[in-house]
Amino acid sequence: MGRTREAGCVAAGVVIGAGACYCVYRLTWGRDESEKIWDDDEEDDEEEASDIVEAGAETGKGTNTNAGVGAGARLQGESKVKAEVGLELQSGSDVKAEAHVGAQSGGGLEAKAKALFSTLKEQASAKAGRGARLGTISGNRTLAPSLPCPGVRGGGCHPTRSGARAGGRASGKTKGKTRGKSTRTPATAWPVRRGKFNFPYKIDDILGASDLQKVLNILERSNDPFIQEIALVTLGNNAAYSFNQNAIRELGGLPIIAKLIKTKDPIIREKAYNALNNLSVNAENQGKIKTYISQVCDDTMICRLDSAVQMAGLRLLTNMTVTNHYQHLLSYSFPDFFALLFLGNYFTKIQIMKLIINFTENPAMTRELVSCKVPSELISLFNKEWDREILLNILTLFENINDNIKSEGLASSKKEFSRSSLFFLFKESGVCVKKIKALANHNDLVVKVKVLKVLTKL
């Protein structure tokens, strides 16, 4: 029994050493490259172990029955341990349960070796940060080659791993084990375009009437945002030429373009505003675009502050108010314009001041303009820290309003206006006049000349 115990100890040491080597190997090299090799070795080990057990059983019948049974039991225990080596990592609760069952059934050092080896695997898995592997590989996202990634304008995207590999494993040879799967949450399945569409023109091509009709047909029939954006940019670039401004209107393009200002995609709305902005230079086109001007104004006021779509909307509104014909359609938005003038960044301030100046050049809009409520912080725009363009625009705005108040005789009816109105801020408070006088010593000569011109009219 002493030699038998020594042999068992040696076998247990070999098993533990093999397990340690296996853990190092699995943590060092990738799983995918070694799966097939380990599967083949595992099958060979199982076959060899079963042959040895059968041979040991037959030999034991002719010679020493007790010795043969003991050797066969040891070899069978070793084969079970080797088979245990090829198993994938399991969750902590499963490993502990398996070790407990092995300790009860196998008995002796072999069972303790298996339990110790399972514990080593669990600790190695925890250190590697892999955790439990559950579920199956998702194969529901497959991108067509050479198509843009979702949310990206242009460029290719490699397809993700699909479920083909998992299906191949399932259809192959049945194994005596189950492999754990990744716990990583699969990527969201984005909607993917099913085909690639080659736009027939470049966005900077100057097109004739027949080609413009084709682009309008594509824009009207397509629901693909990529195609819509390219078509809108192409139409917007062609609308910069006067002969194409008439052609697009005559082809019925204005309603097709204006329909896209209702979309939720801010990029499409921006491109639609840009195209309508170029088309609005034409007086006849303005008569068609006026139908949508209130919707454009509302969307511009509620969209994200200082965004590209807001700037595009402000440019369109500025073009539509250059003449006096359609200014009355936007008079309800005067308080929003002044609020945006205070809240917006530098470029938004410049654009909104150009829009308000258009209204100040129409004396008929003066009463509605000066009676609207404005933030008192608007007075900060007269500070000398602002650059030339901001100061020149705010001085022009003040000059036009002051002239219109005199020409319309509104100075005598100051009781009609509240203390929060533009009339009180510019005319009655006297704060604006003090701020303007302080700009008389400005370093910029152009600003200084403008200040002197305004002061002479007071």
Side-chain angles (χ1 to χ4, degrees), residues 47-67:
E47 292 175 359
E48 291 177 2
S50 62
D51 294 340
I52 294 173
V53 171
E54 293 175 359
E58 293 177 358
T59 305
K61 291 179 182 179
T63 57
N64 192 344
T65 303
N66 295 334

Side-chain angles (χ1 to χ4, degrees), residues 29-244:
W29 299 95
R31 297 185 174 218
D32 294 337
E33 291 81 358
S34 61
E35 283 178 351
K36 187 175 180 181
I37 298 175
W38 278 98
D39 291 342
D40 295 340
D41 291 346
E42 182 181 300
E43 294 171 0
D44 295 338
D45 291 342
E46 291 176 355
E47 292 175 359
E48 291 177 2
S50 62
D51 294 340
I52 294 173
V53 171
E54 293 175 359
E58 293 177 358
T59 305
K61 291 179 182 179
T63 57
N64 192 344
T65 303
N66 295 334
V69 171
R74 280 198 304 273
L75 291 174
Q76 187 175 3
E78 290 178 7
S79 67
K80 288 181 180 179
V81 174
K82 289 182 180 180
E84 189 73 34
V85 170
L87 289 176
E88 288 289 281
L89 299 181
Q90 299 178 353
S91 62
S93 62
D94 293 339
V95 171
K96 292 178 181 178
E98 190 175 332
H100 181 67
V101 173
Q104 291 180 351
S105 61
L109 293 174
E110 291 85 350
K112 293 180 180 180
K114 289 193 293 182
L116 178 60
F117 177 52
S118 299
T119 305
L120 290 173
K121 288 195 296 182
E122 182 182 1
Q123 294 175 355
S125 176
K127 290 181 180 180
R130 298 182 182 181
R133 297 169 65 88
L134 305 172
T136 57
I137 299 175
S138 175
N140 58 356
R141 182 181 181 223
T142 304
L143 293 182
S146 75
L147 289 181
C149 287
V152 182
R153 301 299 188 198
C157 186
H158 298 289
T160 59
R161 181 191 294 185
S162 66
R165 182 177 175 188
R169 289 181 185 175
S171 61
K173 186 177 179 181
T174 305
K175 303 294 181 181
K177 60 185 180 181
T178 57
R179 295 191 180 274
K181 306 303 178 184
S182 175
T183 56
R184 210 177 303 173
T185 303
T188 304
W190 290 82
V192 180
R193 290 186 293 164
R194 298 187 181 276
K196 184 177 180 181
F197 181 82
N198 294 320
F199 199 74
Y201 309 103
K202 295 181 180 179
I203 59 175
D204 54 352
D205 285 346
I206 303 175
L207 307 178
S210 59
D211 294 325
L212 288 174
Q213 183 66 69
K214 293 180 182 178
V215 176
L216 289 171
N217 291 339
I218 293 172
L219 180 61
E220 186 176 18
R221 297 172 183 174
S222 176
N223 292 324
D224 190 331
F226 294 89
I227 302 303
Q228 291 175 343
E229 180 183 356
I230 295 172
L232 286 172
V233 172
T234 304
L235 292 171
N237 289 339
N238 278 270
Y241 302 95
S242 58
F243 54 88
N244 276 337

Side-chain angles (χ1 to χ4, degrees), residues 229 265-275 277 296 299-300 303-316 345 347-348 351:
E229 180 183 356
D265 190 338
I267 296 178
I268 301 302
R269 292 207 311 273
E270 177 198 351
K271 304 308 178 187
Y273 289 158
N274 289 337
N277 182 41
V296 173
D299 179 65
T300 302
C303 68
R304 186 167 60 87
L305 183 64
D306 303 327
S307 60
V309 65
Q310 187 175 68
M311 290 297 296
L314 290 175
R315 285 193 294 267
L316 174 57
N345 62 13
F347 300 102
T348 303
Q351 193 62 50

Side-chain angles (χ1 to χ4, degrees), residues 273-350:
Y273 289 158
N274 289 337
L276 292 175
N277 182 41
N278 288 344
L279 289 167
S280 66
V281 176
N282 185 290
E284 293 184 49
N285 288 343
Q286 281 194 359
K288 302 287 186 179
I289 298 174
K290 71 176 182 179
T291 308
Y292 316 101
I293 190 172
S294 296
Q295 182 180 350
V296 173
C297 182
D298 294 341
D299 179 65
T300 302
M301 293 301 107
I302 64 175
C303 68
R304 186 167 60 87
L305 183 64
D306 303 327
S307 60
V309 65
Q310 187 175 68
M311 290 297 296
L314 290 175
R315 285 193 294 267
L316 174 57
L317 295 176
T318 303
N319 264 1
M320 289 294 295
T321 54
V322 169
T323 62
N324 301 339
H325 302 304
Y326 313 111
Q327 290 181 354
H328 65 281
L329 299 175
L330 300 177
S331 59
Y332 70 95
S333 295
F334 285 159
D336 296 329
F337 293 157
F338 283 103
L340 190 60
L341 176 59
F342 170 66
L343 296 173
N345 62 13
Y346 174 83
F347 300 102
T348 303
K349 282 180 168 60
I350 294 294

